Amino acid sequence: MKESPAIFRRLKVRSLLVVGAILPWMAVAALGQDPAKVDFAKDVFPVLKSKCGDCHGADGASGGLRLDTLDGIRKGGNSGKLYEPFKSGESLIVKRLLGQDGKPRMPMGFAPLPDETIAKIRAWIDAGAVIVEPGTTKHWSYVPPVRPALPAVGNPAWSKNPIDRFVYARLEKEGLKPSPEASKETLARRAALDITGLPPTLAQLDAFLADRRPDAYERYVDRLLSSPHYGERMARIWLDLARYADTNGYEKDLPRQIWAWRDWVIDAFNRNMPYDEFTIEQLAGDLLPKPTRDQLVATGFNRNSMLNDEGGIDPEEFRVVAVMDRIDATATTWLGSTLACAQCHNHKYDPFTQKDYYSFFAFFNRSEDNGRDTAPTIRLYTEAQQAVANDLSAEIKDYQARIKAMRPTVLAAQVTPWDRDWTVVKPSKAEAEGAHLSILDDSSILASGPDPKADLYRITVPLSGLSQLAGLRIEAIPDAGLPEHSSGRNENGNFVLRHVEAMIVHRDGSMTPLKLATATADFSQQDFDPQSTISDGPGLGWAIAAFQPENRTLHQLAISLAGPYKPSSTDRLQITLRHQTRFPHHNLGRFRISLTSNRRLAAVTPPTVAIAAVIAKPADKRTAEEQKQAEDYFLRSAPELAETRRHLDEAQMRLGRLEAKVPTTMVMRDLPTPRPDHILKRGDFRTPGDPVEPATPECLGGKATRPDRLGLARWLVDPKNPLTARVEVNRLWEQCFGRGIVATPEDFGSQGDPPSHPELLDWLATEFVAKKWDVKAMLRLIVTSETYKQSSRVTPDLLAKDPNNTLLARGPRFRAEAEMIRDIALTASGLLSEKIGGPSVMPPQPPGIWENSFSFYDTKERWKDATGPDRYRRGLYTYWRRTAPYPMALTFDLKSRDMCVAHRSRTNSPLQALNLLNDPVFLECAGRLGVKMSQAKDGIVYGFRACTGRTPSAKEVAILEQVRRDALADFRRQGGAATAEFLRAAGITAKEELTDQNAAWIAVANTILNLDETITKG
């Protein structure tokens, strides 16, 4: 065909421009909306506020026009009146929405409004443009659900389940029919993934396929619901809602322990705890009468907020931020509402006022936690541990009572000022194995020169003029020439003195060791017991935590002898100081030796520099605070209490060691006296406004029966609450169909999507309450419906009419979640560890992910690849660090869990395929599956069924067989080194399995694990 002449081409272009201008009007006019059925409050006002409010709202009235208020709509803008009643074609708003009169199409810079929406606006104008005053009608979600009658349908045989009646009625209305039932293989895998999060094993699959009873599928579903893995599947959703993580978030992102809450959720679902109880215990378990330990653990839901432990912050700011986070999580999880939008002003689109927000805020504002620390926490003792802890606590109370009884006697006999009976001695010799030791004018010793990992000092001092030797003192003295101007040689100014020995050197050179009794210090770093410096048992020695600037002062270690020694005039004392080898280069830098003949003083704990100055004052010259400090010191250091204190310290140390082994979990606890509650102007914690009391939003009806979290929780699960039941059944629906009846589970308000099947949603909500909040019963109802059991095959007609399967004319098919993808591979390979609960684990991840500038805050905070069964735990148990999340999960759309997430988006990227091919865990799964395939009678069929749940076609088998042949040829051509490297990466170490054949089978397994069908629930 010849090309059209230029003149005709130009005419074509002009014609297209004209058509392009009139098509929107034609499309809108063709929709034929009935004006009588258009509701301004429901169909028009929310659209104008949400779609036009960015330019014509509270933050700016472009062209003098406000579309977020009724007065603004009535008034119009600089261009004139917005509408002409009964004349939509002449109305300015319609012309702007259609882009007529040569003006830009509105909303400018955004996608045009759907034709159906514009048609509703035109119908409203053509009906007279009546504006309904606020409060005369409610959004559908704020009206309590009323149980609708089951609709009549044309095919009762298909509609065996009430769900099917609603779905079929909608399909009939749209001129559609349901799809045929999916195969048994598909149903088995679909239901298993939705209920347990795991695909069926081949044994489970074959048992179901062999069951020919009419109710075989229902029996299979019941087995899945009774599986302990059901609780894990359900808990996965709650980890997102509760923003669960194993670290605090923010800059340092230090670790926390709260996995016990995750385990409580798993157990609660497995016990089928009614949803109302499940709600109450999570929000207010601590406020129940005589709460059990489990009920306290449950309150971890609201302790999953991030904590900011940075220096220099205002703690109150982040306490308020944590409270606001709880409001958002609670409102999103149970109400499906964006209540947080009312934090700074009244909600722009929904009937929540700022007063509603801060009245809701008041329920949480009385909690004891401060936004910085993990406290309050509880310890999770076993029965045996609890018994030991009780005994030790009783022992501690007994020793504390003895000390209290001795208080009058001790305070009456206050010891003399500390320095009076200590004599500083100048060493006659100071030697070191590595350093050079210099004796200074003040008799102190300064180390310089070489700084070995663990130095040994020998100091010899005279004893002449001393009637008896009862104890010795070592003063660690700060020096400007040492690191951080401290007293240690380490770069942070610290030292670790591990062991002290004392020997008498006689005139003839012989030596007599002295038995040392007690060693006490004015201050010692946590976990560093000064007493361990003179014992042969375990211990770390004496250290002063000089990396904290406030500790870079003079510190003292006092050591008493078991009995006094009376020296001769020629005796000398040799003191040996050994430094710790576990912490290299932690040697003393400057120190001084003193001796005393006062047996009482030698056993007294040295005072700090500040306390020494206080006790040197006469009692009548001390302030009240100083007197208290002095009395506390005398009680801690009195020799009469030394034995009791030693037993007390030992008991406390044993209790501390026990507590260190016991896991903890963060819980909620309220203050005895609530904080005052105010509206915070513009959401700023520094600008409190009008006072408020705890109260629930007026637009939702009802009232809390008490002004605390327990009253709030009970209000949430009151059957009259319009949202809670709807939100949860919608979540269950999304779990099974990939899309909720309300496609925006985080927003049931005017900005969210309306329900695709409103009557079905209300029927499910009322059924949920009627079944006494039985989650398993509702999930069973959904997965046994004919709607759920449909084939997911998409015909061209269905794709054209319903691309998102909103009308449910076919079964669900969508990519699995991140954790489920990992679990599918682990199950198919047989590597899955089925252990339930326990601390989070660290499966392999690429190196360097955790490198950050704050790693020194916790030397244990390193990613260490798990070994053994922990390497193959379910994805639910993977350690979650907010600032450096597990990369595989991020790649498959898991969020960082900084905030509550009600819905995960699903993306597709090449990184996902690369992850499945190369991630160490998936390679190891391919390795084990490949070996199994090599040993099976029909390896390709075995591997394909293990991954997808169905038998492959002959064509699929042929393709995979060719993959195996090609891989085998490649491995043989490249030689044994390439095969060995590949097998090692796949976790194959057994000598008999290191073959080219196995390598080829593993390549096939890797291919099957990467199939879209493997990671898709269909």
Side-chain angles (χ1 to χ4, degrees), residues 870-883:
D870 279 353
R871 193 178 182 91
Y872 309 113
R873 297 287 304 280
R874 293 191 66 169
L876 180 79
Y877 301 112
T878 298
Y879 191 95
W880 198 255
R881 186 171 194 177
R882 285 183 165 113
T883 57

Side-chain angles (χ1 to χ4, degrees), residues 178-229:
S179 297
E181 187 172 297
S183 67
K184 286 189 76 172
E185 292 93 336
T186 297
L187 288 179
R189 190 171 189 268
R190 181 186 295 175
L193 290 175
D194 280 338
I195 296 173
T196 68
L198 300 173
T201 64
L202 290 183
Q204 292 168 333
L205 180 60
D206 289 338
F208 171 57
L209 296 178
D211 190 345
R212 302 298 179 187
R213 290 174 290 187
D215 61 346
Y217 176 71
E218 287 73 15
R219 290 172 179 267
Y220 176 72
V221 167
D222 289 338
R223 290 196 295 274
L224 293 173
L225 288 169
S226 64
S227 165
H229 299 305

